[in-house]
Amino acid sequence: MIVIINRIFLSTVLLLLLATAAIAQSFPGYHTSNYAGIYGVLSNPASAAGYRYKWDVNIIGADAKGGNTYVRIPKSVIFNRPDSFRRNQDYFVDTAARRNQNGWEMAEIMLPSVLYAIDEKQSVSFVWRMRSSSNGGNLPTPLANFFGNDFPNMQYSGTNYTMEHGAVSSHIWHELGFSYARVIKETYSGRLKAGVTLKLLSGVAAGYAAVRNANFRLNNKRDATISSGVLNYGYNQELDNWQSPDISNVQLFNNNGIGMDIGVIYEYRPDNGGFGAYEGTDADEYKFRIGVSITDIGRIKYNKGVNNTDLDITKDNVNPKDVNYRKDESLKQYSQRLNNYFTPIASPDDFNMTLPMAVNLMGDYNIDSRFFVSANAVIALNTGRKDLTKTYAMTQVMLTPRYETDMFGAYLPLVINHNGQADAGVGIRFGPLVLGSYSIFSNLFQHNIDHADAFVALRLNSAMLKRGDGNGGGIFRKRKSQLGCPVND
């Protein structure tokens, strides 16, 4: 069954790999920086309120991450891909694990975007991103071994297997986001900020497949019996007519949808000296801050490919070769062949692909306005089995010590995800350039790896073109000698 699922999504997966080669949480470690600007809006739109500069412009940025829990590859394979992969040489499988096995991919290209500070309390932003998200698995290790360990492997013949639920999904889409953020309450010792992002979504490619309640048995390498089971699958109709090169299929304002992010941030500012906003408008004039946001609320509706239908896969004398994808076979031809091989079940001719909605929690402590430490948690909200047409975020917890000045920043993200994978990485900001990886230190000392990530960004703000005062350059910074009436409500 996993062979069937993987072949259905061959075209989508190839595009995802290209997107990752060209270029949890977006820009980890840097995203909560006081100098993140437009990049802070991605995880919490409230972060733009009271921003220290007049404007912040993204030129280009990219973030890619992917991995799994079952297969590990030597790092040399990444840079020198062999013509054929040999087990225990070019890849290694974890056949003894007791957990369920999973795989994931998340990538984005952040295109020209801008944050504009209307005044010291409110800001507006425009963000243009192209994103991809994929998830697959939730398979117990014995099932992963059946399909992943030299399938069809006679070592597993003669045994009855049951798959209650196994699924994969992939999604590629454009996102045009319009944000508004404002300081909604300010007192002598703190301020509360809120923000919202409304998104116009344009779908490029989407697909899903899930096997449910399947019972099967391998008799020999050319014969298997599936005594029960249902395959639910679908992909958008554009994949039936996919053009070459792949980039020619990437179009705005196709398969439109609506999305939203919302967030709030509270900053505790005990050192305002009683002068409220006159001394409190700087981004680093807080002792600690906490924030919560919900991101990626929304979905995109797609029309299915012409041959898409659910299948009753109950069948005797199944030859694995009969359900394999054939060289030069189109996705349309392949789905038609599956429909002829198994028994079609009536299903809707469209589907709604849900975005990877998540809760983002943030806490940030200011040690001395140069050294900070932040803690973040991303909690995926739609990981259950109820809805097949979705991708979902990576649940994880991150701790990031950092050092920052107006033109330099260093970030040391420490991450653990819901699969139990722990990582340590680094991020660097030098003027307009930002780059890093939260897994680079972890993978540096391992010969074989099962996940990796990297990000890079090129951006400008108003202080880079015209330096401010001696205190660091923020346009709303008031010198501490300047007095004024409190503006607290």
Side-chain angles (χ1 to χ4, degrees):
M1 269 68 67
I2 295 301
V3 174
I4 298 171
I5 293 173
N6 285 341
R7 297 305 182 181
I8 287 174
F9 294 110
L10 182 62
S11 294
T12 303
V13 170
L14 286 175
L15 180 59
L16 293 174
L17 291 175
L18 288 172
T20 302
I23 61 165
Q25 196 162 41
S26 298
F27 305 90
Y30 173 63
H31 70 290
T32 56
S33 164
N34 296 321
Y35 298 86
I38 191 67
Y39 283 90
V41 175
L42 306 184
S43 59
N44 193 326
S47 66
Y51 185 53
R52 68 196 309 141
Y53 302 125
K54 186 64 177 176
W55 53 263
D56 190 277
V57 172
N58 175 69
I59 300 172
I60 190 69
D63 185 332
K65 53 181 68 70
N68 77 109
T69 58
Y70 186 61
V71 179
R72 302 176 68 89
I73 62 172
K75 286 182 289 187
S76 59
V77 170
I78 299 175
F79 305 102
N80 186 22
R81 183 176 177 179
D83 294 332
S84 61
F85 285 87
R86 294 158 293 182
R87 183 170 175 262
N88 293 330
Q89 181 171 333
D90 300 311
Y91 72 95
F92 305 86
V93 294
D94 186 5
T95 59
R98 297 182 179 181
R99 62 175 179 269
N100 284 3
Q101 303 291 357
N102 295 285
W104 64 93
E105 172 274 338
M106 289 174 280
E108 67 177 274
I109 299 175
M110 189 162 171
L111 297 161
S113 305
V114 61
L115 181 158
Y116 179 77
I118 298 172
D119 55 34
E120 59 193 49
K121 286 192 174 183
Q122 55 185 339
S123 299
V124 292
S125 306
F126 166 75
V127 175
W128 179 13
R129 293 194 283 174
M130 183 177 177
R131 302 174 62 187
S132 70
S133 175
S134 301
N135 306 101
N138 195 36
L139 285 182
T141 299
L143 286 176
N145 291 340
F146 181 89
F147 294 108
N149 188 15
D150 297 328
F151 179 82
N153 189 335
M154 292 305 296
Q155 175 183 345
Y156 305 112
S157 65
T159 301
N160 293 320
Y161 288 89
T162 297
M163 181 187 295
E164 294 182 3
H165 179 87
V168 296
S169 55
S170 296
H171 196 192
I172 305 173
W173 73 100
H174 276 285
E175 191 173 281
L176 301 177
F178 303 88
S179 303
Y180 176 75
R182 182 180 179 85
V183 176
I184 59 176
K185 180 70 174 179
E186 189 151 13
T187 68
Y188 288 100
S189 59
R191 67 180 177 182
L192 181 65
K193 308 190 294 186
V196 60
T197 301
L198 298 178
K199 303 176 180 179
L200 175 61
L201 310 173
S202 299
V204 176
Y208 67 93
V211 172
R212 297 183 294 113
N213 302 318
N215 292 278
F216 51 94
R217 177 189 182 98
L218 180 66
N219 302 314
N220 57 60
K221 287 195 173 185
R222 296 186 178 181
D223 180 70
T225 300
I226 306 175
S227 55
S228 65
V230 173
L231 170 64
N232 306 106
Y233 82 95
Y235 57 82
N236 61 304
Q237 63 183 4
E238 287 82 3
L239 289 177
D240 277 338
N241 301 293
W242 200 253
Q243 305 296 314
S244 182
D246 292 314
I247 194 65
S248 64
N249 303 280
V250 179
Q251 299 179 8
L252 276 171
F253 311 119
N254 194 25
N255 300 309
N256 293 324
I258 299 296
M260 183 172 67
D261 303 338
I262 56 175
V264 294
I265 294 175
Y266 173 75
E267 298 175 346
Y268 177 59
R269 297 169 166 260
D271 298 327
N272 273 355
F275 292 98
Y278 280 104
E279 289 190 37
T281 51
D282 243 357
D284 54 8
E285 290 292 334
Y286 62 86
K287 191 61 181 176
F288 69 80
R289 57 178 176 161
I290 55 176
V292 59
S293 65
I294 301 177
T295 54
D296 290 327
I297 304 167
R299 60 183 61 192
I300 301 175
K301 184 176 182 179
Y302 293 93
N303 292 319
K304 286 184 179 179
V306 63
N307 293 324
N308 287 187
T309 183
D310 295 340
L311 299 172
D312 182 344
I313 56 176
T314 303
K315 190 176 179 67
D316 294 327
N317 306 120
V318 176
N319 187 337
K321 291 185 178 181
D322 291 340
V323 295
N324 275 353
Y325 178 82
R326 296 169 182 170
K327 185 178 180 181
D328 298 326
E329 185 176 34
S330 71
L331 200 58
K332 184 177 180 180
Q333 292 169 332
Y334 180 53
S335 61
Q336 181 62 62
R337 188 160 56 83
L338 288 180
N339 295 351
N340 294 334
Y341 197 80
F342 296 108
T343 303
I345 302 172
S347 62
D349 58 6
D350 57 28
F351 63 96
N352 290 293
M353 183 62 78
T354 304
L355 301 186
M357 183 167 57
V359 171
N360 299 268
L361 305 176
M362 179 269 290
D364 190 29
Y365 184 75
N366 181 347
I367 299 173
D368 67 356
S369 295
R370 293 174 300 165
F371 291 94
F372 301 79
V373 59
S374 65
N376 307 88
V378 178
I379 304 170
L381 293 180
N382 56 357
T383 59
R385 299 182 179 182
K386 182 178 180 181
D387 185 4
L388 302 178
T389 58
K390 65 186 178 187
T391 61
Y392 46 89
M394 171 71 74
T395 296
Q396 65 181 30
V397 176
M398 178 184 300
L399 182 70
T400 307
R402 70 181 190 273
Y403 172 84
E404 294 192 296
T405 65
D406 60 335
M407 293 296 289
F408 177 79
Y411 314 88
L412 298 173
L414 309 171
V415 185
I416 184 168
N417 66 35
H418 81 284
N419 293 312
Q421 295 167 316
D423 287 294
V426 64
I428 297 292
R429 173 177 56 85
F430 188 79
L433 180 64
V434 182
L435 52 87
S437 163
Y438 71 65
S439 61
I440 189 169
F441 286 155
S442 307
N443 289 333
L444 186 64
F445 299 101
Q446 297 185 53
H447 180 66
N448 303 316
I449 62 174
D450 58 13
H451 67 286
D453 81 294
F455 62 87
V456 63
L458 185 63
R459 46 173 288 276
L460 295 171
N461 60 49
S462 55
M464 294 178 186
L465 302 183
K466 183 179 180 181
R467 299 301 300 274
D469 64 24
N471 290 319
I475 63 162
F476 298 130
R477 177 182 285 272
K478 306 295 182 180
R479 293 184 182 274
K480 296 187 181 297
S481 61
Q482 181 176 357
L483 301 179
C485 297
V487 297
N488 303 297
D489 297 326

